[in-house]
Amino acid sequence: MTESGYVSEELMVVWLLLIVALLTAYLIQRRRFRWLPPSSSAMLLGIFAGAVSRLAGLEKPLRFSPGAFFYALLPPIVFQAGFAMKKRQFFANSGAILMFAILGTFISALVFGLTTYLLVLIRIVRRSHLAGSPFVECLAYGSAISSIDPVATLAVLADVEVPPILYNLVFGESVLNDAVAIVLFRSMADFSNRPFGFTTLPAVLLRFCILLLGSLLIGVGVALACAFVLKRLQGADNSDIPNSASYEIAVVVMGSYLAYLVAEVAGMSGIVALFFSGIIHSHYTYYSASPGSQVSLRHFTEFAAFVCEMCVFAYLGLQVATMQHAFDFGLFFTGIPLAVASRACNIGLCSRIINTWREHPLPLNLQKMLLAVGLRGAVAYGLVINLPRSDCPGETGVPAIETAALLIVVVTTLGLGSATGPLLRHWELEGKDDAALYGLSWAGLSDSMAGEHGGRGARIELEQQSAFHDWFRALDEEFLKPLFGGRTTSSRTRLSDVDRAAYQGVAPDGTGAPEADTEIQMQQPQGGGR
């Protein structure tokens, strides 16, 4: 069979698999099968399709492509994570989120990597199954596997009533953790062909800071340039321009991907740049677009992220049946216990530090749930297959590590993802708001309560005071929004009862959104994707 024949058959298999995965996800959401999240169903379908493809002799062209993943499938997911991020909740919990995402990722990577290297020294893991420098490979492996992907958990959390602080911490950590893990992995990869000495770790930390800061500045700078352009176009008369909304959406979408490309060309992290670009666009550029463009842009980013997400998990399932596995029993059987142990060290140590300053410390049942959401996903596997070989410069991939990482991804996604609902009930987190979580009454909520509507029937969300947030908000209102755009009093609009129900949902008593004739603010971009 010709190469073009393989390509057409591959596309047909993947396309059919994606359609079936999307339809299955729709049925799961409609029937509320919380025990099987959409991402888990896509992975199971991928495993089944991979087995069928292997029998048909199509396993080779269905190999997971790092280039397609990092340059086509991952960018829409990362951009949507930044674009849909609830900034007020993020900044209100920024201290805890940054602690888990940065320090916690370092802890997870070191615990996993150093323990794996210890297993090499005591010969539980065979040295011959690694590359020329097992110490470097183990640390890079730990950096990759420290990337969590709780998309299955977030789908359940968004569908049930849980304390808002739980969702905010899980979502906030997940969107930053990927970026931190990627930068840490790249920092380790830069030293894969150099001798590892006492000065190497400080050099890795310095490289990490340069990559993180440089990528952030590129993402913010390119996004602000796009916001400035669209703000200037907002004042022009666009009524006689056909499809003017298409131009506005193109500025955001193409400008965001430009930030990704600029960062990659500059040797930085395109994922970090893209994530912060999404935040800037949702805060400034979004409000300079016309109302029709805002709705279209929000739905387009949600659609693109969801489709790419389903495709990624389906492709991961395909790898289980189609890739040529190389088994090291030490790596294979210790991977999952080490993944759980490293996550436990992350949550335990960071929670102790966080609770020293929080007005409302993180309770033990919340910490246990944060431990349980440490699913590994496509980013972890995508990094592992890009693991540089210190024995063969220019080559990537250690087959035994790839197989072990794929096992961790599949087991945590299917196991912990499906266990989210039962664990929420077991630890008494379902059906509670923040006040119920801490056993607080209305009498003590005057300063720290942020209800959705301000009435006593509203769900209560506790917020930490943030001096940085207050300072930035003053700077933003006085200087940045006049220059780059953003939500102002002119962004308010009157919505019909149907539109309001779509934007706000129903009241806690199930009677519908209250005060149907009042004026409400346009909703910021939101979504459940990563």
Side-chain angles (χ1 to χ4, degrees):
M1 187 175 291
T2 64
E3 183 178 353
S4 60
Y6 272 122
V7 172
S8 63
E9 291 177 7
E10 174 195 0
L11 290 176
M12 181 187 69
V13 170
V14 173
W15 200 254
L16 285 174
L17 175 60
L18 182 58
I19 292 174
V20 174
L22 292 174
L23 291 176
T24 304
Y26 172 77
L27 292 175
I28 288 174
Q29 296 285 56
R30 183 173 181 177
R31 300 293 183 180
R32 297 184 180 274
F33 292 146
R34 296 171 186 168
W35 54 271
L36 184 64
S39 57
S40 298
S41 68
M43 182 173 288
L44 288 173
L45 288 170
I47 294 174
F48 174 77
V52 174
S53 299
R54 191 177 185 89
L55 294 175
L58 289 174
E59 69 273 11
K60 186 175 180 179
L62 289 174
R63 185 76 168 90
F64 188 90
S65 170
F69 172 69
F70 281 103
Y71 287 94
L73 296 177
L74 188 58
I77 300 173
V78 173
F79 177 77
Q80 167 66 5
F83 191 71
M85 189 180 73
K86 300 177 181 179
K87 294 177 286 297
R88 180 177 62 82
Q89 290 89 335
F90 179 87
F91 283 109
N93 297 284
S94 58
I97 290 173
L98 292 174
M99 183 66 66
F100 285 127
I102 298 179
L103 178 62
T105 302
F106 268 98
I107 293 173
S108 294
L110 288 176
V111 170
F112 192 100
L114 292 177
T115 307
T116 303
Y117 181 65
L118 178 62
L119 296 176
V120 175
L121 295 180
I122 62 178
R123 299 184 179 180
I124 293 179
V125 174
R126 295 181 61 180
R127 189 185 186 98
S128 60
H129 284 168
L130 302 179
S133 178
F135 185 65
V136 176
E137 267 82 21
C138 288
L139 288 181
Y141 179 30
S143 301
I145 215 68
S146 64
S147 171
I148 65 170
D149 190 6
V151 61
T153 296
L154 287 170
V156 176
L157 295 183
D159 197 41
V160 300
E161 187 175 301
V162 296
I165 186 176
L166 173 61
Y167 186 90
N168 294 335
L169 288 178
V170 173
F171 183 79
E173 181 196 2
S174 68
V175 296
L176 282 181
N177 166 267
D178 282 352
V180 173
I182 289 171
V183 173
L184 183 58
F185 177 85
R186 286 195 172 185
S187 301
M188 290 299 307
D190 289 342
F191 293 86
S192 60
N193 297 316
R194 307 180 193 178
F196 207 95
F198 290 105
T199 60
T200 304
L201 187 57
V204 169
L205 294 177
L206 177 61
R207 177 62 176 160
F208 172 84
C209 294
I210 292 174
L211 279 174
L212 190 63
L213 183 60
S215 305
L216 186 153
L217 292 176
I218 290 174
V220 171
V222 174
L224 287 177
C226 294
F228 181 83
V229 170
L230 201 58
K231 175 69 174 177
R232 307 284 83 78
L233 295 178
Q234 185 186 35
D237 182 12
N238 299 326
S239 57
D240 58 342
I241 300 179
N243 301 321
S244 60
S246 300
Y247 296 102
E248 295 174 338
I249 295 174
V251 169
V252 177
V253 175
M254 299 184 70
S256 300
Y257 200 73
L258 176 64
Y260 181 89
L261 297 176
V262 170
E264 290 293 323
V265 170
M268 300 294 162
S269 171
I271 296 300
V272 177
L274 190 59
F275 171 71
F276 284 99
S277 175
I279 295 177
I280 297 299
H281 280 304
S282 71
H283 190 65
Y284 296 112
T285 320
Y286 177 81
Y287 296 101
S288 296
S290 63
S293 299
Q294 292 179 358
V295 174
S296 299
L297 181 62
R298 187 167 61 249
H299 289 311
F300 173 75
T301 56
E302 290 174 356
F303 159 78
F306 177 70
V307 170
C308 290
E309 205 167 74
M310 290 295 100
C311 188
V312 165
F313 279 97
Y315 244 120
L316 285 176
L318 283 172
Q319 303 314 296
V320 176
T322 59
M323 73 175 289
Q324 297 296 324
H325 296 286
F327 291 96
D328 181 284
F329 290 99
L331 289 172
F332 193 78
F333 288 107
T334 62
I336 295 174
L338 284 181
V340 175
S342 62
R343 178 69 179 174
C345 292
N346 171 355
I347 299 301
L349 293 176
C350 290
S351 296
R352 289 180 67 88
I353 298 173
I354 291 167
N355 286 345
T356 59
W357 79 70
R358 279 187 68 91
E359 178 183 356
H360 302 286
L362 303 179
L364 185 59
N365 59 343
L366 189 72
Q367 294 179 38
K368 292 178 180 178
M369 196 66 219
L370 291 175
L371 167 61
V373 302
L375 291 67
R376 271 57 172 188
V379 173
Y381 182 71
L383 291 175
V384 162
I385 62 179
N386 277 293
L387 191 67
R389 298 183 63 98
S390 55
D391 58 340
C392 302
E395 295 186 14
T396 59
V398 180
I401 291 181
E402 292 181 21
T403 297
L406 185 60
L407 175 71
I408 296 174
V409 171
V410 172
V411 171
T412 57
T413 299
L414 297 180
L416 293 177
S418 301
T420 298
L423 289 177
L424 286 171
R425 292 187 289 273
H426 176 71
W427 287 322
E428 299 179 350
L429 290 169
E430 187 174 354
K432 289 185 177 180
D433 59 8
D434 287 349
L437 176 66
Y438 289 101
L440 300 177
S441 63
W442 278 87
L445 295 175
S446 56
D447 295 327
S448 58
M449 186 272 287
E452 291 182 1
H453 303 294
R456 292 212 169 201
R459 281 173 51 75
I460 300 169
E461 179 178 340
L462 300 178
E463 290 187 348
Q464 287 287 119
Q465 298 298 318
S466 173
F468 172 78
H469 187 205
D470 296 338
W471 169 82
F472 178 79
R473 183 165 52 187
L475 175 70
D476 193 37
E477 294 292 339
E478 187 171 356
F479 297 104
L480 298 181
K481 284 185 177 180
L483 188 61
F484 300 108
R487 180 162 57 178
T488 61
T489 54
S490 62
S491 300
R492 297 173 180 269
T493 182
R494 299 181 65 87
L495 300 177
S496 67
D497 294 348
V498 175
D499 292 333
R500 181 172 290 103
Y503 277 107
Q504 287 186 281
V506 297
D509 60 0
T511 58
E515 300 178 1
D517 293 329
T518 58
E519 189 178 61
I520 66 171
Q521 288 188 348
M522 282 290 288
Q523 180 193 30
Q524 293 193 46
Q526 295 181 4
R530 299 189 66 245

